[in-house]
Coordinates of all heavy atoms in Angstrom, one line a residue:
M995 N 124.9 0.0 111.4 CA 125.3 -1.0 110.4 C 124.1 -1.2 109.5 O 123.0 -1.3 110.0 CB 125.7 -2.2 111.2 CG 126.1 -3.3 110.3 SD 126.7 -4.7 111.3 CE 126.4 -6.0 110.2
P996 N 124.3 -1.4 108.2 CA 123.2 -1.7 107.3 C 122.5 -3.0 107.7 O 123.2 -3.9 108.3 CB 123.9 -1.9 106.0 CG 125.2 -1.2 106.1 CD 125.6 -1.3 107.5
P997 N 121.3 -3.2 107.4 CA 120.6 -4.4 107.8 C 121.1 -5.6 107.1 O 121.6 -5.6 106.0 CB 119.1 -4.1 107.3 CG 119.1 -2.9 106.5 CD 120.4 -2.2 106.7
I998 N 121.1 -6.7 107.8 CA 121.6 -8.0 107.3 C 120.4 -8.7 106.6 O 119.3 -8.7 107.0 CB 122.0 -8.9 108.5 CG1 123.1 -8.2 109.4 CG2 122.5 -10.3 108.0 CD1 124.4 -7.9 108.7
A999 N 120.8 -9.2 105.4 CA 119.8 -9.9 104.6 C 119.3 -11.2 105.3 O 120.0 -11.7 106.1 CB 120.3 -10.2 103.2
R1000 N 118.1 -11.6 105.0 CA 117.5 -12.8 105.5 C 117.1 -13.7 104.4 O 116.7 -13.3 103.3 CB 116.3 -12.5 106.4 CG 116.7 -11.7 107.6 CD 115.6 -11.6 108.6 NE 115.9 -10.9 109.8 CZ 116.4 -11.5 110.9 NH1 116.6 -12.8 110.9 NH2 116.8 -10.7 111.9
N1001 N 117.2 -15.0 104.6 CA 116.8 -16.0 103.6 C 115.3 -16.3 103.8 O 114.6 -15.7 104.6 CB 117.6 -17.3 103.7 CG 117.5 -18.0 105.0 OD1 116.6 -17.8 105.8 ND2 118.5 -18.9 105.3
K1002 N 114.8 -17.2 103.0 CA 113.3 -17.5 103.1 C 112.9 -18.0 104.4 O 111.7 -17.8 104.8 CB 113.0 -18.6 102.0 CG 113.1 -18.1 100.6 CD 112.8 -19.2 99.6 CE 113.1 -18.7 98.2 NZ 112.9 -19.7 97.2
S1003 N 113.8 -18.6 105.2 CA 113.5 -19.1 106.5 C 113.6 -18.1 107.6 O 113.3 -18.3 108.7 CB 114.4 -20.3 106.9 OG 114.4 -21.3 105.9
G1004 N 114.0 -16.9 107.2 CA 114.2 -15.8 108.2 C 115.5 -15.7 108.9 O 115.7 -14.9 109.7
H1005 N 116.4 -16.6 108.5 CA 117.8 -16.6 109.1 C 118.6 -15.6 108.4 O 118.5 -15.4 107.2 CB 118.4 -18.0 108.9 CG 117.7 -19.1 109.6 ND1 116.9 -20.0 109.0 CD2 117.8 -19.4 110.9 CE1 116.4 -20.8 109.9 NE2 117.0 -20.5 111.1
Q1006 N 119.4 -14.9 109.2 CA 120.3 -13.9 108.6 C 121.4 -14.6 107.7 O 121.9 -15.6 108.0 CB 121.0 -13.1 109.7 CG 120.0 -12.3 110.5 CD 120.6 -11.5 111.6 OE1 121.6 -12.0 112.3 NE2 120.2 -10.3 111.9
V1007 N 121.6 -13.9 106.6 CA 122.6 -14.3 105.7 C 123.7 -13.3 105.6 O 123.5 -12.2 105.2 CB 122.0 -14.6 104.3 CG1 123.1 -15.0 103.3 CG2 120.9 -15.5 104.3
Y1008 N 124.9 -13.6 106.1 CA 126.0 -12.7 106.2 C 126.9 -12.7 104.9 O 127.4 -13.8 104.6 CB 126.9 -12.9 107.4 CG 126.1 -12.6 108.7 CD1 125.4 -13.6 109.4 CD2 126.2 -11.4 109.3 CE1 124.7 -13.3 110.6 CE2 125.5 -11.1 110.4 CZ 124.8 -12.1 111.1 OH 124.1 -11.8 112.2
L1009 N 127.0 -11.6 104.3 CA 127.9 -11.5 103.2 C 129.3 -11.0 103.7 O 129.4 -10.6 104.8 CB 127.4 -10.4 102.2 CG 125.9 -10.6 101.7 CD1 125.5 -9.4 100.9 CD2 125.9 -11.9 100.9
E1010 N 130.3 -11.1 102.8 CA 131.6 -10.7 103.2 C 131.6 -9.2 103.7 O 132.3 -8.9 104.7 CB 132.6 -10.9 102.1 CG 134.0 -10.5 102.4 CD 135.0 -10.8 101.3 OE1 134.7 -11.5 100.4 OE2 136.1 -10.2 101.4
S1011 N 130.8 -8.4 103.0 CA 130.8 -7.0 103.4 C 130.2 -6.8 104.8 O 130.6 -5.9 105.6 CB 129.9 -6.2 102.4 OG 128.6 -6.7 102.3
D1012 N 129.2 -7.7 105.2 CA 128.6 -7.7 106.5 C 129.7 -8.0 107.6 O 129.8 -7.4 108.6 CB 127.4 -8.6 106.6 CG 126.3 -8.3 105.7 OD1 126.1 -7.1 105.5 OD2 125.7 -9.2 105.2
V1013 N 130.5 -9.0 107.3 CA 131.5 -9.5 108.2 C 132.5 -8.3 108.4 O 133.0 -8.1 109.5 CB 132.2 -10.8 107.7 CG1 133.4 -11.1 108.5 CG2 131.2 -11.9 107.6
K1014 N 132.9 -7.6 107.3 CA 133.8 -6.5 107.4 C 133.2 -5.4 108.3 O 133.9 -4.8 109.1 CB 134.1 -5.9 106.0 CG 135.0 -6.8 105.2 CD 135.3 -6.3 103.9 CE 136.2 -7.2 103.1 NZ 136.5 -6.6 101.7
W1015 N 131.9 -5.1 108.2 CA 131.3 -4.2 109.1 C 131.4 -4.6 110.5 O 131.8 -3.8 111.4 CB 129.8 -4.0 108.7 CG 129.5 -3.1 107.7 CD1 129.1 -3.3 106.4 CD2 129.4 -1.6 107.8 NE1 128.9 -2.2 105.7 CE2 129.0 -1.1 106.5 CE3 129.6 -0.8 108.9 CZ2 128.8 0.2 106.3 CZ3 129.4 0.6 108.6 CH2 129.0 1.1 107.4
I1016 N 131.1 -5.9 110.8 CA 131.1 -6.4 112.1 C 132.5 -6.3 112.7 O 132.8 -5.9 113.8 CB 130.6 -7.8 112.2 CG1 129.1 -7.8 111.9 CG2 130.9 -8.5 113.5 CD1 128.5 -9.2 111.6
F1017 N 133.5 -6.7 111.9 CA 134.9 -6.6 112.3 C 135.3 -5.2 112.6 O 136.0 -5.0 113.7 CB 135.8 -7.2 111.2 CG 137.3 -7.3 111.6 CD1 137.7 -8.3 112.5 CD2 138.2 -6.3 111.2 CE1 139.0 -8.3 112.9 CE2 139.5 -6.4 111.6 CZ 139.9 -7.4 112.5
L1018 N 134.9 -4.2 111.8 CA 135.3 -2.8 112.1 C 134.7 -2.4 113.4 O 135.4 -1.8 114.2 CB 134.8 -2.0 110.9 CG 135.0 -0.5 111.1 CD1 136.4 -0.1 111.2 CD2 134.3 0.3 110.0
I1019 N 133.4 -2.6 113.6 CA 132.7 -2.2 114.8 C 133.3 -2.9 116.0 O 133.6 -2.3 117.0 CB 131.2 -2.4 114.7 CG1 130.6 -1.5 113.6 CG2 130.5 -2.3 116.0 CD1 129.2 -1.8 113.2
R1020 N 133.6 -4.2 115.9 CA 134.2 -4.9 117.0 C 135.6 -4.3 117.3 O 136.0 -4.2 118.5 CB 134.4 -6.4 116.6 CG 134.8 -7.3 117.7 CD 133.8 -7.5 118.7 NE 134.1 -6.8 120.0 CZ 133.3 -6.6 121.0 NH1 132.1 -6.9 120.9 NH2 133.8 -5.9 122.0
C1021 N 136.4 -4.0 116.3 CA 137.7 -3.4 116.5 C 137.6 -2.1 117.3 O 138.3 -1.8 118.2 CB 138.3 -3.1 115.1 SG 139.9 -2.2 115.2
M1022 N 136.6 -1.2 116.9 CA 136.4 0.0 117.6 C 136.0 -0.2 119.0 O 136.5 0.5 119.9 CB 135.4 0.9 116.8 CG 135.8 1.3 115.5 SD 134.5 2.1 114.5 CE 135.5 3.0 113.3
R1023 N 135.1 -1.1 119.3 CA 134.7 -1.4 120.7 C 135.8 -2.0 121.5 O 136.0 -1.6 122.6 CB 133.5 -2.3 120.7 CG 132.2 -1.7 120.5 CD 131.9 -0.5 121.4 NE 131.8 -0.9 122.8 CZ 132.3 -0.1 123.8 NH1 132.8 1.1 123.5 NH2 132.2 -0.5 125.0
D1024 N 136.6 -2.9 120.9 CA 137.7 -3.5 121.6 C 138.8 -2.5 122.0 O 139.5 -2.7 122.9 CB 138.3 -4.6 120.7 CG 137.5 -5.9 120.6 OD1 136.5 -6.0 121.4 OD2 137.8 -6.7 119.8
T1025 N 138.8 -1.4 121.3 CA 139.8 -0.3 121.6 C 139.1 0.8 122.3 O 139.7 1.9 122.4 CB 140.5 0.2 120.3 OG1 139.5 0.6 119.4 CG2 141.3 -1.0 119.7
D1026 N 138.0 0.6 122.9 CA 137.3 1.5 123.8 C 136.8 2.8 123.1 O 136.6 3.8 123.8 CB 138.2 1.9 125.0 CG 138.4 0.7 125.9 OD1 137.6 -0.2 126.0 OD2 139.5 0.7 126.6
M1027 N 136.4 2.7 121.8 CA 135.8 3.8 121.2 C 134.4 3.9 121.8 O 133.7 2.9 121.8 CB 135.8 3.7 119.7 CG 135.1 4.9 119.0 SD 135.0 4.8 117.2 CE 136.7 5.5 116.8
P1028 N 133.9 5.1 122.2 CA 132.6 5.2 122.7 C 131.5 4.9 121.6 O 131.7 5.1 120.4 CB 132.5 6.7 123.1 CG 133.9 7.2 123.2 CD 134.7 6.3 122.3
I1029 N 130.5 4.2 122.1 CA 129.4 3.8 121.2 C 128.9 5.0 120.4 O 128.6 4.9 119.2 CB 128.3 3.1 121.9 CG1 128.8 1.7 122.4 CG2 127.1 2.9 121.0 CD1 127.9 1.0 123.3
A1030 N 128.8 6.2 121.0 CA 128.3 7.3 120.3 C 129.2 7.7 119.1 O 128.7 8.1 118.0 CB 128.1 8.5 121.2
K1031 N 130.5 7.6 119.3 CA 131.4 7.8 118.2 C 131.3 6.8 117.1 O 131.5 7.1 115.9 CB 132.9 7.9 118.7 CG 133.2 9.2 119.4 CD 133.3 10.3 118.3 CE 133.7 11.6 119.0 NZ 133.6 12.7 118.1
I1032 N 131.2 5.5 117.5 CA 131.0 4.5 116.5 C 129.8 4.7 115.7 O 129.8 4.6 114.4 CB 130.9 3.1 117.2 CG1 132.3 2.7 117.9 CG2 130.6 2.0 116.2 CD1 132.2 1.5 118.7
K1033 N 128.7 5.1 116.3 CA 127.4 5.4 115.6 C 127.6 6.5 114.6 O 127.2 6.5 113.5 CB 126.3 5.7 116.6 CG 125.8 4.5 117.3 CD 124.6 4.8 118.2 CE 124.1 3.6 118.9 NZ 122.9 4.0 119.8
Q1034 N 128.3 7.6 115.1 CA 128.6 8.7 114.3 C 129.4 8.3 113.0 O 129.1 8.7 111.9 CB 129.3 9.8 115.1 CG 129.7 11.0 114.3 CD 130.5 12.0 115.1 OE1 130.9 11.8 116.2 NE2 130.7 13.2 114.5
Y1035 N 130.5 7.5 113.3 CA 131.3 7.1 112.2 C 130.5 6.2 111.2 O 130.6 6.4 110.0 CB 132.5 6.3 112.7 CG 133.5 5.9 111.7 CD1 134.4 6.7 111.2 CD2 133.5 4.6 111.2 CE1 135.4 6.3 110.2 CE2 134.4 4.1 110.2 CZ 135.3 5.0 109.8 OH 136.2 4.6 108.8
V1036 N 129.8 5.3 111.7 CA 129.0 4.4 110.8 C 128.0 5.1 110.0 O 127.8 4.9 108.8 CB 128.4 3.2 111.6 CG1 127.4 2.4 110.8 CG2 129.5 2.3 112.2
S1037 N 127.3 6.1 110.7 CA 126.3 6.8 109.9 C 126.9 7.6 108.8 O 126.4 7.8 107.7 CB 125.5 7.8 110.9 OG 126.3 8.9 111.3
L1038 N 128.2 8.1 109.0 CA 128.9 8.8 107.9 C 129.2 7.8 106.8 O 129.1 8.2 105.6 CB 130.2 9.5 108.5 CG 130.0 10.7 109.4 CD1 131.3 11.0 110.1 CD2 129.4 11.8 108.7
L1039 N 129.6 6.6 107.2 CA 129.9 5.6 106.1 C 128.7 5.2 105.3 O 128.7 5.1 104.1 CB 130.5 4.4 106.8 CG 131.9 4.4 107.2 CD1 132.3 3.1 108.0 CD2 132.9 4.6 106.1
V1040 N 127.6 5.1 106.0 CA 126.4 4.6 105.3 C 125.8 5.6 104.4 O 125.4 5.3 103.3 CB 125.3 4.2 106.4 CG1 123.9 4.0 105.8 CG2 125.7 3.0 107.2
R1041 N 125.8 6.9 104.7 CA 125.2 7.9 103.9 C 126.2 8.6 103.0 O 125.9 9.5 102.3 CB 124.5 8.9 104.7 CG 125.5 9.7 105.6 CD 124.8 10.8 106.4 NE 125.9 11.5 107.1 CZ 125.8 12.6 107.5 NH1 124.7 13.3 107.4 NH2 126.8 13.2 108.2
D1042 N 127.4 8.2 103.0 CA 128.5 8.9 102.4 C 128.5 8.8 100.9 O 128.2 7.8 100.3 CB 129.9 8.3 102.9 CG 131.0 9.2 102.5 OD1 130.8 10.4 102.2 OD2 132.1 8.6 102.4
G1043 N 128.9 10.0 100.4 CA 129.1 10.1 98.9 C 130.5 10.6 98.8 O 130.9 11.0 97.7
G1044 N 131.3 10.6 99.8 CA 132.7 11.1 99.7 C 132.9 12.4 100.4 O 134.0 12.8 100.8
E1045 N 131.8 13.2 100.7 CA 132.0 14.5 101.3 C 132.3 14.5 102.8 O 132.7 15.4 103.4 CB 130.7 15.3 101.0 CG 129.4 14.8 101.6 CD 128.7 13.8 100.7 OE1 129.2 13.6 99.6 OE2 127.7 13.2 101.2
S1046 N 132.1 13.3 103.4 CA 132.3 13.2 104.9 C 133.7 12.7 105.2 O 134.0 12.4 106.4 CB 131.3 12.4 105.5 OG 131.3 11.1 105.1
I1047 N 134.6 12.6 104.2 CA 135.9 12.0 104.5 C 136.7 12.8 105.6 O 137.2 12.2 106.5 CB 136.8 12.0 103.2 CG1 136.2 10.9 102.3 CG2 138.2 11.8 103.5 CD1 136.9 10.8 100.9
P1048 N 136.6 14.1 105.6 CA 137.3 14.9 106.7 C 136.8 14.5 108.1 O 137.5 14.4 109.0 CB 137.1 16.3 106.4 CG 136.9 16.4 104.9 CD 136.1 15.1 104.6
Q1049 N 135.5 14.3 108.2 CA 134.8 14.0 109.5 C 135.3 12.6 109.9 O 135.6 12.4 111.1 CB 133.3 14.1 109.4 CG 132.8 15.5 109.2 CD 131.3 15.5 108.8 OE1 131.0 15.1 107.7 NE2 130.5 15.9 109.8
K1050 N 135.2 11.7 109.0 CA 135.6 10.3 109.3 C 137.1 10.2 109.7 O 137.5 9.6 110.7 CB 135.4 9.4 108.1 CG 133.9 9.1 107.9 CD 133.6 8.2 106.7 CE 134.1 8.7 105.4 NZ 133.5 8.1 104.3
R1051 N 137.9 11.0 109.0 CA 139.3 11.0 109.3 C 139.6 11.6 110.7 O 140.4 11.1 111.5 CB 140.1 11.8 108.2 CG 141.6 11.8 108.4 CD 142.3 12.6 107.3 NE 141.8 13.9 107.2 CZ 141.4 14.5 106.1 NH1 141.4 13.8 104.9 NH2 140.9 15.7 106.0
D1052 N 138.8 12.7 111.0 CA 139.0 13.3 112.3 C 138.6 12.3 113.5 O 139.2 12.3 114.5 CB 138.1 14.6 112.4 CG 138.7 15.7 111.6 OD1 139.9 15.6 111.1 OD2 138.0 16.7 111.4
I1053 N 137.5 11.6 113.3 CA 137.1 10.6 114.3 C 138.2 9.6 114.5 O 138.5 9.2 115.6 CB 135.8 9.9 113.8 CG1 134.6 10.9 113.9 CG2 135.5 8.7 114.7 CD1 133.3 10.5 113.3
L1054 N 138.7 9.1 113.4 CA 139.8 8.0 113.5 C 141.1 8.6 114.1 O 141.7 7.9 114.9 CB 140.0 7.4 112.1 CG 138.8 6.6 111.6 CD1 139.1 6.1 110.1 CD2 138.4 5.5 112.5
R1055 N 141.4 9.8 113.7 CA 142.6 10.4 114.3 C 142.5 10.6 115.8 O 143.4 10.4 116.5 CB 142.9 11.8 113.6 CG 143.6 11.7 112.3 CD 143.9 13.0 111.7 NE 144.7 12.9 110.4 CZ 144.7 13.8 109.6 NH1 144.2 15.0 109.8 NH2 145.4 13.6 108.4
E1056 N 141.3 11.1 116.2 CA 141.1 11.4 117.6 C 141.2 10.0 118.4 O 141.8 10.0 119.4 CB 139.7 11.9 117.8 CG 139.3 12.2 119.2 CD 137.9 12.7 119.3 OE1 137.4 13.4 118.4 OE2 137.2 12.3 120.3
H1057 N 140.6 9.0 117.8 CA 140.7 7.7 118.5 C 142.1 7.1 118.5 O 142.6 6.5 119.4 CB 139.7 6.7 117.8 CG 139.6 5.4 118.6 ND1 139.1 5.4 119.9 CD2 139.9 4.2 118.3 CE1 139.1 4.2 120.4 NE2 139.6 3.4 119.4
S1058 N 142.9 7.4 117.4 CA 144.2 6.9 117.3 C 145.1 7.6 118.4 O 145.9 7.0 119.0 CB 144.8 7.2 115.9 OG 146.1 6.7 115.8
K1059 N 144.9 8.9 118.6 CA 145.6 9.6 119.6 C 145.3 9.0 121.0 O 146.1 8.9 121.9 CB 145.3 11.1 119.6 CG 145.9 11.8 118.4 CD 145.5 13.3 118.4 CE 146.0 13.9 117.1 NZ 145.5 15.3 117.0
F1060 N 144.0 8.7 121.2 CA 143.5 8.1 122.5 C 144.3 6.8 122.7 O 144.8 6.5 123.8 CB 142.0 7.9 122.4 CG 141.5 7.0 123.5 CD1 141.3 7.4 124.8 CD2 141.2 5.6 123.2 CE1 140.8 6.5 125.8 CE2 140.8 4.8 124.1 CZ 140.6 5.2 125.4
L1061 N 144.4 6.0 121.6 CA 145.0 4.7 121.7 C 146.5 4.9 122.0 O 147.1 4.1 122.8 CB 144.8 3.9 120.5 CG 143.4 3.4 120.2 CD1 143.3 2.7 118.8 CD2 143.0 2.4 121.3
T1062 N 147.1 5.8 121.4 CA 148.6 6.1 121.7 C 148.8 6.4 123.1 O 149.7 5.9 123.7 CB 149.1 7.2 120.7 OG1 148.9 6.8 119.4 CG2 150.5 7.6 121.0
R1063 N 147.9 7.3 123.7 CA 148.1 7.6 125.1 C 147.9 6.4 126.0 O 148.6 6.1 126.9 CB 147.1 8.7 125.5 CG 147.4 10.1 125.0 CD 146.5 11.1 125.5 NE 145.1 10.9 125.3 CZ 144.4 11.4 124.3 NH1 145.0 12.0 123.3 NH2 143.1 11.1 124.2
R1064 N 146.9 5.5 125.7 CA 146.6 4.3 126.4 C 147.8 3.4 126.4 O 148.1 2.7 127.3 CB 145.3 3.7 126.0 CG 144.0 4.5 126.2 CD 143.6 4.4 127.6 NE 143.2 3.0 127.8 CZ 142.7 2.6 128.9 NH1 142.3 3.4 129.8 NH2 142.4 1.3 129.1
I1065 N 148.3 3.2 125.2 CA 149.5 2.3 125.0 C 150.6 2.7 125.9 O 151.3 1.9 126.5 CB 149.8 2.2 123.5 CG1 148.8 1.4 122.8 CG2 151.2 1.5 123.3 CD1 148.9 1.5 121.2
R1066 N 150.9 4.0 125.9 CA 152.0 4.6 126.7 C 151.7 4.3 128.2 O 152.7 3.9 128.9 CB 152.2 6.1 126.5 CG 152.9 6.4 125.2 CD 153.2 7.9 125.2 NE 153.5 8.2 123.8 CZ 152.9 9.2 123.1 NH1 151.9 9.9 123.7 NH2 153.2 9.4 121.9
I1067 N 150.5 4.5 128.6 CA 150.2 4.2 130.0 C 150.4 2.7 130.3 O 151.0 2.4 131.3 CB 148.7 4.6 130.3 CG1 148.6 6.1 130.3 CG2 148.2 4.0 131.6 CD1 147.1 6.6 130.3
F1068 N 150.0 1.8 129.5 CA 150.2 0.4 129.7 C 151.6 0.0 129.6 O 152.1 -0.8 130.4 CB 149.3 -0.4 128.7 CG 147.9 -0.6 129.1 CD1 146.9 0.1 128.5 CD2 147.5 -1.4 130.2 CE1 145.6 0.0 128.9 CE2 146.2 -1.5 130.6 CZ 145.2 -0.8 129.9
Q1069 N 152.4 0.6 128.7 CA 153.8 0.3 128.7 C 154.5 0.7 130.0 O 155.4 0.0 130.5 CB 154.5 1.0 127.5 CG 154.1 0.4 126.2 CD 154.6 1.2 125.0 OE1 154.8 2.4 125.0 NE2 154.8 0.5 123.9
N1070 N 154.2 1.9 130.5 CA 154.7 2.4 131.8 C 154.4 1.4 132.9 O 155.2 1.1 133.8 CB 154.3 3.8 132.1 CG 154.9 4.8 131.2 OD1 155.9 4.6 130.6 ND2 154.2 5.9 131.0
R1071 N 153.1 1.0 132.9 CA 152.7 0.1 134.0 C 153.4 -1.3 133.8 O 153.7 -1.9 134.8 CB 151.2 -0.1 134.0 CG 150.6 1.2 134.4 CD 149.1 1.2 134.4 NE 148.6 2.6 134.9 CZ 147.4 3.0 134.7 NH1 146.5 2.2 134.2 NH2 147.0 4.2 135.1
Q1072 N 153.6 -1.7 132.6 CA 154.3 -3.0 132.4 C 155.7 -2.9 132.9 O 156.2 -3.8 133.5 CB 154.2 -3.4 130.9 CG 154.9 -4.7 130.6 CD 154.8 -5.1 129.2 OE1 154.7 -4.3 128.3 NE2 155.0 -6.4 128.9
E1073 N 156.4 -1.8 132.6 CA 157.7 -1.6 133.1 C 157.8 -1.7 134.6 O 158.7 -2.3 135.1 CB 158.3 -0.3 132.6 CG 158.6 -0.2 131.1 CD 159.0 1.2 130.6 OE1 159.3 2.0 131.5 OE2 159.0 1.4 129.4
L1074 N 156.9 -1.1 135.3 CA 156.8 -1.2 136.7 C 156.7 -2.6 137.2 O 157.4 -3.0 138.1 CB 155.7 -0.3 137.3 CG 155.5 -0.4 138.8 CD1 156.7 0.1 139.6 CD2 154.3 0.4 139.2
I1075 N 155.8 -3.3 136.6 CA 155.5 -4.7 136.9 C 156.8 -5.5 136.7 O 157.2 -6.4 137.5 CB 154.3 -5.3 136.2 CG1 153.0 -4.6 136.8 CG2 154.2 -6.8 136.3 CD1 151.8 -4.8 136.0
E1076 N 157.5 -5.3 135.5 CA 158.7 -6.0 135.2 C 159.8 -5.7 136.3 O 160.5 -6.6 136.7 CB 159.2 -5.7 133.8 CG 158.3 -6.3 132.8 CD 158.6 -5.8 131.4 OE1 159.5 -5.0 131.2 OE2 158.0 -6.3 130.4
K1077 N 159.9 -4.5 136.7 CA 160.8 -4.2 137.8 C 160.5 -4.9 139.1 O 161.4 -5.3 139.8 CB 160.8 -2.7 138.0 CG 161.5 -1.9 136.9 CD 161.4 -0.4 137.1 CE 162.0 0.4 136.0 NZ 162.0 1.8 136.1
K1078 N 159.3 -5.0 139.4 CA 158.9 -5.8 140.6 C 159.2 -7.3 140.4 O 159.7 -7.9 141.4 CB 157.4 -5.6 140.9 CG 157.0 -4.3 141.4 CD 157.6 -4.1 142.7 CE 157.2 -2.7 143.3 NZ 157.9 -2.5 144.6
I1079 N 159.0 -7.8 139.2 CA 159.4 -9.2 139.0 C 160.9 -9.4 139.2 O 161.4 -10.3 139.9 CB 159.0 -9.7 137.6 CG1 157.5 -9.7 137.5 CG2 159.6 -11.0 137.2 CD1 156.9 -9.9 136.1
E1080 N 161.7 -8.4 138.7 CA 163.2 -8.5 138.9 C 163.5 -8.4 140.3 O 164.4 -9.0 140.8 CB 163.8 -7.4 138.0 CG 163.8 -7.6 136.6 CD 164.4 -6.5 135.8 OE1 165.2 -5.7 136.4 OE2 164.1 -6.3 134.6
F1081 N 162.8 -7.5 141.0 CA 163.1 -7.3 142.5 C 162.9 -8.6 143.2 O 163.7 -8.9 144.1 CB 162.1 -6.2 143.0 CG 162.2 -6.0 144.5 CD1 163.3 -5.3 145.0 CD2 161.3 -6.6 145.3 CE1 163.3 -5.1 146.4 CE2 161.3 -6.4 146.7 CZ 162.4 -5.6 147.2
Y1082 N 161.9 -9.3 142.9 CA 161.6 -10.6 143.5 C 162.5 -11.7 143.0 O 162.3 -12.9 143.5 CB 160.1 -11.0 143.4 CG 159.3 -10.0 144.2 CD1 158.3 -9.3 143.6 CD2 159.4 -9.8 145.6 CE1 157.5 -8.4 144.3 CE2 158.6 -8.9 146.3 CZ 157.6 -8.2 145.6 OH 156.8 -7.4 146.3
G1083 N 163.4 -11.4 142.1 CA 164.3 -12.5 141.6 C 163.7 -13.4 140.6 O 164.3 -14.5 140.3
G1084 N 162.6 -13.1 140.0 CA 161.9 -14.0 139.1 C 162.2 -13.6 137.7 O 162.6 -12.5 137.3
H1085 N 162.2 -14.6 136.9 CA 162.4 -14.4 135.4 C 161.1 -15.0 134.7 O 160.5 -15.8 135.2 CB 163.6 -15.2 134.9 CG 164.9 -14.7 135.5 ND1 165.5 -13.5 135.2 CD2 165.6 -15.2 136.5 CE1 166.6 -13.3 135.9 NE2 166.7 -14.4 136.7
Y1086 N 160.8 -14.4 133.6 CA 159.7 -14.9 132.8 C 160.0 -15.0 131.4 O 161.0 -14.4 130.9 CB 158.5 -13.9 133.1 CG 158.7 -12.5 132.6 CD1 158.2 -12.1 131.3 CD2 159.3 -11.6 133.3 CE1 158.4 -10.9 130.9 CE2 159.5 -10.3 132.9 CZ 159.1 -9.9 131.6 OH 159.3 -8.7 131.2
D1087 N 159.2 -15.7 130.6 CA 159.5 -15.9 129.2 C 158.7 -14.9 128.4 O 157.7 -14.5 128.7 CB 159.1 -17.3 128.8 CG 159.9 -18.3 129.5 OD1 161.1 -18.3 129.3 OD2 159.3 -19.1 130.3

């Protein structure tokens, strides 16, 4: 991530672009993207002049496929849990 600007008192001053960086990185971590991949992606963004678009796209596609597999796994597990709830005669909202 690019460095955050500081004011005269030394406190960090976050611009909207800084918040977007933080949100993007948080999104990637929240979805279990490895830190090494996040660093690779961010370094491509920071130094980019447009030539790294295929690399950035590949990183995001790979992670999207990973998320699709994880979502399917969780959906299957949720179905099993819902069947157990039905088995025990319970209803939920």
Side-chain angles (χ1 to χ4, degrees):
M995 184 174 153
I998 304 296
R1000 294 187 179 270
N1001 63 18
K1002 293 178 184 178
S1003 304
H1005 295 100
Q1006 293 179 324
V1007 178
Y1008 291 92
L1009 304 173
E1010 184 176 341
S1011 60
D1012 299 324
V1013 173
K1014 287 180 181 180
W1015 273 102
I1016 293 167
F1017 184 77
L1018 173 64
I1019 292 168
R1020 187 74 251 165
C1021 173
M1022 291 173 163
R1023 278 307 299 142
D1024 287 347
T1025 57
D1026 295 329
M1027 181 180 274
I1029 291 174
K1031 280 290 181 190
I1032 293 172
K1033 286 182 178 181
Q1034 180 184 5
Y1035 182 80
V1036 169
S1037 73
L1038 291 170
L1039 283 175
V1040 169
R1041 66 177 182 158
D1042 190 25
E1045 60 275 354
S1046 66
I1047 288 174
Q1049 292 168 289
K1050 290 183 292 199
R1051 185 179 53 233
D1052 289 346
I1053 291 169
L1054 295 175
R1055 279 184 178 160
E1056 178 184 325
H1057 190 60
S1058 181
K1059 288 177 185 177
F1060 165 80
L1061 291 175
T1062 298
R1063 289 189 302 271
R1064 295 281 297 186
I1065 289 167
R1066 282 190 198 122
I1067 289 168
F1068 278 108
Q1069 286 173 333
N1070 290 337
R1071 290 178 182 167
Q1072 183 181 23
E1073 288 174 15
L1074 175 62
I1075 290 169
E1076 289 172 355
K1077 287 178 184 177
K1078 287 295 182 184
I1079 291 170
E1080 289 176 23
F1081 174 79
Y1082 292 121
H1085 299 283
Y1086 64 97
D1087 298 296

